[in-house]
Amino acid sequence: MNLLQLQENLREAVIATARSEFNVELETVASEVPPKIELGDAAFPVAFELAKRIKQQSGEKSNPRQIAERLKSAIEKIEAVERVEVAGAGYLNVFFNRAAFLIESANAAPLPKLNASDDESSPKVCVEHTSVNPNKAAHIGHVRNAVLGDTFIRILRASGKRVEVQYYIDNTGVQVADVVIGFVYLENMSLADIKELNEKLIRENKTFDFYCWDLYARVGQAYQTDENLKAKRGEVLHLIEEGNNPTAELADYVVTRNVECIVATMERFGISYDLLPRESEILHLHFWTRAFEEMQRRDVIKLETSGKNAGCWVMPIDSHSGNDEHEADKILVRSNGTVTYTGKDTAYQMWKLGLLGLDFYYNLFHTYGDGKKIWITTADAIQQDAGVPKFGNNETVYNVIDSRQSYPQEVVKKGVATIFPEKGEAASVHLSYEMVALSPSAAQELGFEISEEDKQKSFIEMSGRKGLGVKADDLLNRLEANALAEVEKRHADLSDEEKRKTAHIIAVGALRYFLLKFTRNTVIIFDFKEALSFEGETGVFCQYSAVRANSIFRKLNEPDSAFKIQDLGLEKIAEIFNAEDGNDIWSMAILAARLEETIVQAANANEPAILAKYTFNLAKAFNLFYHNHKIIHEENEAKRQVLIAVADLTRRNLTAALDCLGIEVPERM
RNA sequence: GCUCCCGUAGCUCAGUUGGAUAGAGCGUUCGCCUCCUAAGCGAAAGGCCGCGCGUUCGAAUCGCGCCGGGAGCACCA
């Protein structure tokens, strides 16, 4: 019986006893982790609630402590429970059988099951993340999005779900038109010139997306003075949307190169995708037309015949009230007949949920080192590649998008739910998060001129248009260089290859943890010192703790690894836990065993930070444990074996927790 | 004007089903490498949990009202 099952049994026992003893029907029972190990392993403040309910039902006043006493005897019957105490005003504190629990945990399958089922009949969910416009390099804000999404995927998989990962490519938007304008009108380049430029950049060890980053910023500046250039925008945009012309071909090359760069950047962070759906196919395969028909059929969209929205198709949103300045209704089709972003997104969402009745065609885009494939959509049925997995048809769709897009996301969710009431709003989840902004000093550190007004602000928003931001690859390079210097200092004997690999693992660990330790709705004000830190509450701290644990096992003698903790016997183990420092050892074991419930909690709350915090606390507890107990050199043989078993449980679960956060553990560091 | 988010230690943040003495990291001060990796460990100092009222046996957490900060409410994406 694992910890989750045990806790469930305890809850059921409480509910059953409340029913039989007090005739009260409890729907849920709150359980908590006691603040101190001396107060037990699980606590139920349920007696207070029961006292209230009894008073409501019979008018009799009852004492919570007495209620708790009666619950106590029922819970004590559960096998894994050692004893139960009534404490304080009426807390029910449960103490587990430590020796039995340790044996059980030592033999348990590695938790969590990090490889989700590939059984095609099991329900699948979709996580869409990254959303970098394919016209420039990714910055740290995009990495927050992707790391959040990727970690959430790992959490879902750990809790047994099948997950499809998508990165939506907005290849027909104005951002793409802007950078195309840069190439064509600022640089006077043809497609052949751009291809040549790409070759040159590769030779110089530079990247195409970084080049576009600067070019895009230059276009933004040029627009401010050059009205003619700005006028070209609509024209170029139209050509790109239409397709089958030289401008569209040039745009496609630029987009594809940028996507390749962005996918490569994300791969450095341990992030991979299954499918890249493109907006051009949403248009060319008439996804919108189909969605529009459904909307008209179900009467969720109406044509405005008068007022300022005359000629537009709009969706009424009743949760928002309008006024003179702002309409409450959301426009999905403009008066000139073109579809807004929200309209296209609604059609795409319908496809993701298997509600559209249309499908894309697919081409192979890229194969990762481990053989995993990324697919990209195409409008051309004839050119479709063989061996395409089944995409779409997801039970639930998670969209990782920043909180500024809450309103359009709400429109998409409500729209889909109105057309398909049987699916409901719960099928569309907006995994929203706050942006990564720059502190004024960080912006200055990047070499930007800061206006007096901005200096007064607590943070400055990053802007691709202005070229203001910390590029993902730049930051990772800097972290790797810092980590490499530390590795050189500590482990000069390692080969250059091993040093570089270690530095990379450390750098990724530092950055992923930095982005995950904040809860989703906290604005991260980027600070170089904090992001580059390898000490304190960092991913590196967690990795270090795991490396230390592993080094114990590397140094253990052969007989130790063959030893099974159950050979020691329950009594001997219990003796160790009952000794003076027994609580200390036990608290390490029980904390490590809480990984599975933490993953469930993080999955239910859609909050990876819960797992990040737990992982840090586990690492911290292990560092203390490591400091207080000499494991290899312990003279009491029984205690030594218990310490080994607890350390082994901890390192296994610490490694699994880190894996779930997308953080690897190096051999040495 | 309307909607949403935030306000907790000097700084940056956890504290999400209401529970026991409100936590962590950084920074400051002071200790700990003859011993499984000091990217570590320990100790000290540091709090009207924005303010007020309410609900409750019990409120940082729930409700209402203020104050302060942010985002959104485009025929942009």
Side-chain angles (χ1 to χ4, degrees):
Chain A
M1 179 161 46
N2 69 25
L3 195 48
L4 273 178
Q5 289 164 330
L6 175 53
Q7 283 164 338
E8 192 47 44
N9 290 354
L10 290 170
R11 266 185 224 112
E12 278 168 18
V14 169
I15 289 174
T17 313
R19 189 185 299 132
S20 61
E21 294 280 318
F22 308 107
N23 197 27
V24 173
E25 198 58 45
L26 294 168
E27 299 76 34
T28 55
V29 177
S31 69
E32 54 187 88
V33 178
K36 284 166 78 173
I37 195 77
E38 291 80 11
L39 294 170
D41 305 311
F44 295 91
V46 69
F48 308 110
E49 172 71 13
L50 276 174
K52 192 195 290 180
R53 297 276 283 266
I54 292 166
K55 196 180 165 196
Q56 281 168 2
Q57 281 182 15
S58 63
E60 280 174 50
K61 253 192 166 173
S62 41
N63 182 335
R65 275 197 78 103
Q66 282 169 3
I67 295 171
E69 287 293 344
R70 285 167 74 181
L71 292 167
K72 176 182 161 180
S73 50
I75 294 174
E76 271 175 338
K77 293 196 189 103
I78 293 175
E79 203 187 18
V81 172
E82 171 91 20
R83 66 179 202 280
V84 180
E85 284 178 5
V86 176
Y91 286 96
L92 211 52
N93 291 340
V94 182
F95 295 76
F96 300 156
N97 183 325
R98 297 177 173 184
F101 187 89
L102 183 64
I103 290 173
E104 183 82 30
S105 308
N107 293 323
L111 291 174
K113 339 178 244 304
L114 278 168
N115 293 311
S117 108
D118 4 285
D119 173 11
E120 294 220 351
S121 62
S122 74
K124 177 164 62 81
V125 301
C126 169
V127 177
E128 184 214 323
H129 66 74
T130 305
S131 321
V132 188
N133 279 318
N135 69 329
K136 58 170 185 310
H139 62 57
I140 183 74
H142 300 121
V143 181
R144 183 181 196 184
N145 179 307
V147 165
L148 214 42
D150 182 68
T151 305
F152 190 61
I153 288 159
R154 290 165 188 264
I155 288 170
L156 288 173
R157 285 184 175 148
S159 41
K161 288 248 167 47
R162 217 150 58 89
V163 187
E164 176 174 307
V165 188
Q166 300 186 9
Y167 162 22
Y168 181 70
I169 311 294
D170 185 0
N171 58 346
T172 59
V174 285
Q175 289 85 355
V176 172
D178 286 344
V179 80
V180 166
I181 284 173
F183 277 119
V184 175
Y185 296 101
L186 293 185
E187 313 237 288
N188 293 313
M189 286 172 107
S190 65
L191 177 54
D193 295 335
I194 299 172
K195 285 181 176 171
E196 202 175 297
L197 167 73
N198 182 53
E199 295 299 319
K200 181 170 163 269
L201 289 171
I202 290 169
R203 282 196 301 274
E204 292 172 358
N205 220 359
K206 291 177 182 166
T207 58
F208 192 79
D209 58 340
F210 273 42
Y211 186 91
C212 289
W213 174 280
D214 294 331
L215 180 59
Y216 182 47
R218 271 165 57 206
V219 172
Q221 282 208 312
Y223 280 161
Q224 294 185 348
T225 52
D226 189 345
E227 282 299 321
N228 288 338
L229 197 65
K230 211 170 176 178
K232 303 265 187 225
R233 212 184 192 182
E235 190 186 312
V236 169
L237 190 57
H238 180 73
L239 286 167
I240 291 173
E241 272 194 30
E242 206 176 47
N244 283 322
N245 59 70
T247 304
E249 207 184 318
L250 189 150
D252 187 57
Y253 179 81
V254 170
V255 164
T256 304
R257 276 304 295 131
N258 274 307
V259 171
E260 283 166 355
C261 289
I262 293 160
V263 166
T265 300
M266 295 306 173
E267 192 177 355
R268 293 181 76 190
F269 289 93
I271 297 163
S272 63
Y273 308 92
D274 297 316
L275 176 65
L276 311 176
R278 296 190 298 185
E279 186 165 85
S280 51
E281 273 78 62
I282 305 256
L283 293 169
H284 296 147
L285 294 170
H286 310 294
F287 276 27
W288 166 249
T289 313
R290 175 64 65 87
F292 187 49
E293 283 163 12
E294 282 303 320
M295 290 173 135
Q296 285 177 293
R297 204 157 66 80
R298 309 260 184 152
D299 217 19
V300 303
I301 191 166
K302 62 177 184 190
L303 178 64
E304 291 286 349
T305 50
S306 61
K308 62 188 269 196
N309 290 345
C312 299
W313 287 87
V314 304
M315 191 192 300
I317 302 296
D318 46 20
S319 64
H320 285 69
S321 57
N323 61 20
D324 293 347
E325 257 182 279
H326 301 290
E327 288 288 338
D329 299 346
K330 184 75 192 171
I331 292 166
L332 298 189
V333 181
R334 304 180 186 106
S335 55
N336 66 5
T338 57
V339 192
T340 62
Y341 172 80
T342 309
K344 284 179 271 194
D345 211 20
T346 305
Y348 172 39
Q349 184 78 0
M350 282 165 61
W351 173 79
K352 284 193 275 193
L353 288 164
L355 301 171
L356 192 66
L358 290 174
D359 201 0
F360 297 106
Y361 301 105
Y362 304 92
N363 283 335
L364 189 61
F365 181 76
H366 176 70
T367 305
Y368 290 107
D370 63 358
K372 197 176 165 311
K373 293 177 166 70
I374 316 184
W375 296 82
I376 191 162
T377 58
T378 172
D380 191 340
I382 297 157
Q383 284 190 14
Q384 170 158 273
D385 288 327
V388 182
K390 284 193 165 55
F391 292 117
N393 270 308
N394 295 288
E395 181 183 59
T396 309
V397 170
Y398 298 90
N399 294 329
V400 185
I401 306 180
D402 79 76
S403 65
R404 285 169 292 190
Q405 306 215 33
S406 302
Y407 179 63
Q409 277 294 301
E410 192 191 335
V411 176
V412 169
K413 177 206 274 249
K414 289 218 160 116
V416 172
T418 318
I419 308 166
F420 301 98
E422 67 279 11
K423 244 329 196 186
E425 289 190 19
S428 308
V429 180
H430 176 200
L431 215 73
S432 80
Y433 65 93
E434 282 286 352
M435 64 182 152
V436 181
L438 297 171
S439 64
S441 62
Q444 277 172 317
E445 224 176 301
L446 286 165
F448 283 87
E449 298 276 333
I450 305 301
S451 69
E452 280 306 313
E453 193 194 342
D454 278 347
K455 274 184 193 161
Q456 301 308 311
K457 289 185 179 169
S458 54
F459 62 82
I460 302 168
E461 215 173 311
M462 286 194 275
S463 161
R465 188 166 298 279
K466 292 179 192 156
L468 174 57
V470 179
K471 291 197 278 297
D473 285 307
D474 278 344
L475 184 61
L476 190 54
N477 291 344
R478 203 163 148 184
L479 278 159
E480 283 179 353
N482 289 0
L484 188 60
E486 291 295 322
V487 175
E488 296 272 7
K489 249 194 297 190
R490 290 156 211 258
H491 301 285
D493 56 315
L494 290 173
S495 72
D496 285 353
E497 171 66 24
E498 284 170 313
K499 281 180 196 161
R500 264 205 318 279
K501 193 178 165 209
T502 304
H504 171 72
I505 292 172
I506 290 171
V508 171
L511 192 49
R512 285 188 71 124
Y513 189 87
F514 173 74
L515 293 169
L516 288 168
K517 72 175 177 178
F518 298 94
T519 51
R520 287 187 286 118
N521 53 12
T522 298
V523 178
I524 298 179
I525 299 169
F526 187 85
D527 178 80
F528 277 105
K529 190 165 157 270
E530 210 189 326
L532 294 170
S533 170
F534 291 157
E535 282 163 24
E537 194 196 339
T538 61
V540 181
F541 177 101
C542 301
Q543 290 171 315
Y544 184 67
S545 180
V547 167
R548 280 174 134 187
N550 286 336
S551 102
I552 293 172
F553 287 86
R554 206 169 36 231
K555 291 189 176 164
L556 275 177
N557 300 320
E558 279 300 320
D560 288 305
S561 44
F563 187 86
K564 292 272 183 282
I565 190 70
Q566 63 264 36
D567 297 347
L568 199 55
L570 286 170
E571 267 181 49
K572 281 249 176 81
I573 301 172
E575 227 171 82
I576 303 302
F577 281 131
N578 289 332
E580 201 189 344
D581 56 0
N583 271 346
D584 219 38
I585 302 170
W586 171 245
S587 59
M588 183 70 253
I590 188 76
L591 181 65
R594 293 193 197 279
L595 171 62
E596 204 183 10
E597 63 177 280
T598 306
I599 287 174
V600 170
Q601 208 190 335
N604 290 341
N606 299 341
E607 183 51 273
I610 292 172
L611 182 60
K613 289 285 173 186
Y614 165 82
T615 308
F616 171 66
N617 283 325
L618 186 59
K620 195 157 68 110
F622 183 77
N623 273 334
L624 180 57
F625 178 80
Y626 180 93
H627 184 81
N628 286 343
H629 305 281
K630 294 290 163 252
I631 298 164
I632 295 179
H633 306 291
E634 172 59 47
E635 283 168 11
N636 176 339
E637 188 51 30
K639 184 173 178 184
R640 183 165 179 269
Q641 290 303 337
V642 169
L643 290 174
I644 290 171
V646 172
D648 189 38
L649 172 66
T650 307
R651 71 164 179 152
R652 271 172 18 224
N653 283 8
L654 180 56
T655 305
L658 283 166
D659 192 9
C660 234
L661 297 173
I663 298 173
E664 285 182 72
V665 177
E667 287 284 318
R668 289 207 243 154
M669 65 185 282

